[in-house]
Amino acid sequence: MVKQAIQLLLVFSAFLLSTTVGYSQSGKQKELEARRVELRREIKKINALVSSNKSKEKSQISLIEDINYKVKVRRDLIKVTNQQANLLTRQINNNQKQITGLRDELKGLKTNYANMIQNSYKNKNQQNRVMFLLSASNFKQAYKRLQYINQYADYQKQQGETIKAKTKELQEVNIKLLAQKEEKNTLIAENKVAQKELEKELKQHNTIMGAIKKDLKKYTAQIKTKQKEADRIDREIDKIIRDAIAKSNKKAGKKKTKSAVFAMAPEDKALAKDFLGSKGKLPWPVEQGIVKVRYGKQPSPIDRSLTINSTGVRISTSKGAKVRAIYKGEVLKIMKAKRSNPAVLIKHGNYITVYNNLAEVFVKPGDKVDTKQDIGVIFTNPRTGESLLRFSIYKETKTQNPASWIYKM
């Protein structure tokens, strides 16, 4: 009895383990497929943007940025697809083992069932059953023999049902196995195509870089000039925020107007709390776009010895694209810096979002805006055809990484 209980426990534990592993693998496969779909969508976006600007005279730096982005996404796609194929291989091997086990189990069940039928046929004579009962030494033994006859009949029926269920399970696993093999073949074929595209992009990258290296000083100077311009705009944004902080402290009657922290009314504190609570879930400032330059210090794509310091992100989008507020708030300032296009600063409690490089502005200082409200149109360079939004998030005067705040950036 104890031995049977232990065997039952082991079988149940194995079942639970296989079920848990199955669910885990299924969840991972879904996660990888979602990521693969997302990466393919990203490649379509960059291809559409590059295609729309083909007739324009894009700079070599912009071309390298485009190709670098495509190469990165393409490599991620190949990596994710390989992970999916490898996971499918493990699932296929597990299912093949399961099929082998089910076939052996089914073979044993059928053998036992055949023996039971044979024994039942030999003993089906009603007289034999009556004699089996009458030959009992007492009533209790006769009753137990009757129970045995009934239990044997029930067990025989149960075995028949088990064989049906196992046969069906075997068929289902076989169907699943065939589908997995087909899916794996599709992934392998897609990866071959992706690999060929990657080779083309790398070849294009090497060609452009070869041309750039012939006149590297010119391109290095361009990068340095752009960085200086970005630093100048950052200083102006910093001054606007510091002036706003000083004004809030003065209005609140605080003596230290040079504080680096906003003096906030209860409604401002509530707004800041809501903004913080939406971290990682905020909408993009454009409906469609890709991040060409990310937040933080990073090597230049042209000259790796040069460092680019990005206090926000640079998003490439389509011509005529509108920019929208990522969260409700109040327009703090419309910045119009020298030699650059307007920027809109929106205050969300003690957080500031900055939308820079606009051609048109739909709002004015003091306006209350809602989440996803259009606040302007992004400037499109008439020579290159590029539409770039420079987007930043600040907490007081400290910059934040937009990728930590915006959903799937």
Side-chain angles (χ1 to χ4, degrees):
M1 188 71 181
V2 175
K3 188 178 178 182
Q4 287 177 337
I6 292 170
Q7 286 177 337
L8 185 63
L9 183 62
L10 288 171
V11 170
F12 183 65
S13 300
F15 170 75
L16 280 180
L17 181 64
S18 64
T19 305
T20 305
V21 171
Y23 279 133
S24 174
Q25 288 182 341
S26 177
K28 182 66 176 174
Q29 192 67 270
K30 285 178 181 177
E31 182 186 319
L32 288 170
E33 179 59 20
R35 178 67 180 142
R36 190 170 72 94
V37 169
E38 192 178 321
L39 289 166
R40 291 177 72 181
R41 195 182 296 125
E42 284 291 298
I43 290 170
K44 282 184 180 179
K45 280 184 194 175
I46 186 66
N47 283 338
L49 288 170
V50 170
S51 179
S52 64
N53 297 336
K54 250 181 182 177
S55 60
K56 304 294 181 180
E57 298 174 9
K58 292 185 79 170
S59 70
Q60 299 289 69
I61 296 172
S62 292
L63 286 171
I64 282 294
E65 286 175 349
D66 287 346
I67 293 168
N68 281 349
Y69 181 83
K70 284 175 75 176
V71 165
K72 182 188 178 301
V73 176
R74 189 85 65 187
R75 279 176 171 158
D76 286 345
L77 177 63
I78 290 168
K79 182 181 175 182
V80 168
T81 308
N82 277 333
Q83 287 175 334
Q84 277 188 282
N86 291 337
L87 185 58
L88 276 170
T89 300
R90 290 196 293 272
Q91 290 174 341
I92 286 166
N93 290 338
N94 287 338
N95 282 336
Q96 283 174 334
K97 286 178 184 176
Q98 190 180 350
I99 285 169
T100 302
L102 281 170
R103 281 175 178 162
D104 291 342
E105 191 178 349
L106 199 54
K107 185 179 178 182
L109 284 169
K110 285 180 177 178
T111 301
N112 289 338
Y113 189 69
N115 291 335
M116 284 170 55
I117 295 296
Q118 192 175 6
N119 289 334
S120 295
Y121 182 77
K122 286 178 181 178
N123 300 317
K124 71 177 181 178
N125 190 310
Q126 188 66 29
Q127 189 177 356
N128 288 343
R129 291 186 183 182
V130 173
M131 288 301 295
F132 178 65
L133 292 172
L134 292 176
S135 64
S137 57
N138 54 52
F139 179 77
K140 187 177 180 181
Q141 189 182 57
Y143 179 70
K144 283 187 176 180
R145 287 185 178 187
L146 180 62
Q147 279 186 315
Y148 169 76
I149 291 169
N150 291 334
Q151 285 173 355
Y152 191 79
D154 289 341
Y155 180 69
Q156 185 178 323
K157 184 180 178 183
Q158 185 184 344
Q159 284 291 88
E161 294 298 325
T162 303
I163 288 171
K164 283 182 185 178
K166 288 291 176 185
T167 304
K168 186 181 178 184
E169 187 182 349
L170 180 60
Q171 289 170 345
E172 287 173 354
V173 175
N174 266 316
I175 291 167
K176 190 177 179 181
L177 181 64
L178 290 171
Q180 285 171 336
K181 284 181 177 179
E182 186 65 32
E183 188 180 349
K184 183 184 173 182
N185 290 335
T186 302
L187 289 172
I188 291 169
E190 284 185 13
N191 241 8
K192 285 180 181 177
V193 174
Q195 194 65 48
K196 285 181 180 178
E197 289 298 320
L198 178 61
E199 287 168 8
K200 285 182 188 176
E201 287 156 5
L202 289 171
K203 189 176 180 181
Q204 189 182 359
H205 178 275
N206 292 336
T207 302
I208 296 170
M209 282 302 296
I212 287 170
K213 284 177 182 178
K214 290 177 182 177
D215 200 358
L216 189 59
K217 285 184 179 179
K218 182 182 83 172
Y219 292 107
T220 300
Q222 286 179 8
I223 292 165
K224 287 180 178 177
T225 300
K226 281 187 176 181
Q227 185 64 57
K228 283 180 182 178
E229 182 66 16
D231 291 343
R232 184 181 65 80
I233 292 170
D234 287 342
R235 286 194 295 272
E236 290 199 32
I237 292 169
D238 184 74
K239 185 179 182 304
I240 290 169
I241 294 172
R242 287 184 184 280
D243 288 346
I245 289 172
K247 188 178 177 181
S248 74
N249 280 281
K250 187 177 180 181
K251 187 178 178 182
K254 293 186 177 181
K255 292 180 181 180
K256 292 183 180 180
T257 55
K258 289 186 178 180
S259 169
V261 179
F262 277 103
M264 294 191 289
E267 59 270 23
D268 292 320
K269 289 180 181 178
L271 182 59
K273 185 180 178 182
D274 290 344
F275 186 82
L276 180 60
S278 299
K279 189 174 182 178
K281 298 176 283 187
L282 293 165
W284 281 58
V286 291
E287 282 193 16
Q288 294 288 331
I290 58 167
V291 177
K292 287 186 71 175
V293 177
R294 293 198 168 270
Y295 174 84
K297 291 183 179 180
Q298 52 208 283
S300 161
I302 300 297
D303 184 351
R304 306 294 289 183
S305 65
L306 282 178
T307 300
I308 296 171
N309 184 28
S310 176
T311 56
V313 292
R314 198 165 75 202
I315 301 171
S316 178
T317 187
S318 55
K319 183 179 179 181
K322 291 177 181 177
V323 62
R324 58 192 188 178
I326 65 162
Y327 202 72
K328 61 186 176 181
E330 181 181 337
V331 178
L332 178 66
K333 184 87 173 178
I334 308 298
M335 187 181 82
K336 295 179 181 177
K338 291 180 181 178
R339 301 187 303 278
S340 63
N341 294 307
V344 175
L345 284 76
I346 299 176
K347 184 172 175 287
H348 318 271
N350 62 335
Y351 291 93
I352 311 288
T353 51
V354 182
Y355 312 78
N356 193 10
N357 196 35
L358 306 185
E360 293 179 59
V361 177
F362 302 154
V363 292
K364 62 185 184 299
D367 282 356
K368 301 287 185 183
V369 295
D370 291 323
T371 305
K372 292 187 178 181
Q373 179 180 326
D374 292 336
I375 58 172
V377 177
I378 298 165
F379 174 77
T380 299
N381 189 312
R383 184 175 62 83
T384 65
E386 290 182 298
S387 304
L388 297 171
L389 172 70
R390 291 174 173 82
F391 174 73
S392 305
I393 301 177
Y394 289 77
K395 182 181 181 182
E396 265 95 30
T397 57
K398 302 292 183 183
T399 60
Q400 307 281 303
N401 185 353
S404 301
W405 291 82
I406 306 299
Y407 180 67
K408 286 188 177 181
M409 180 171 276

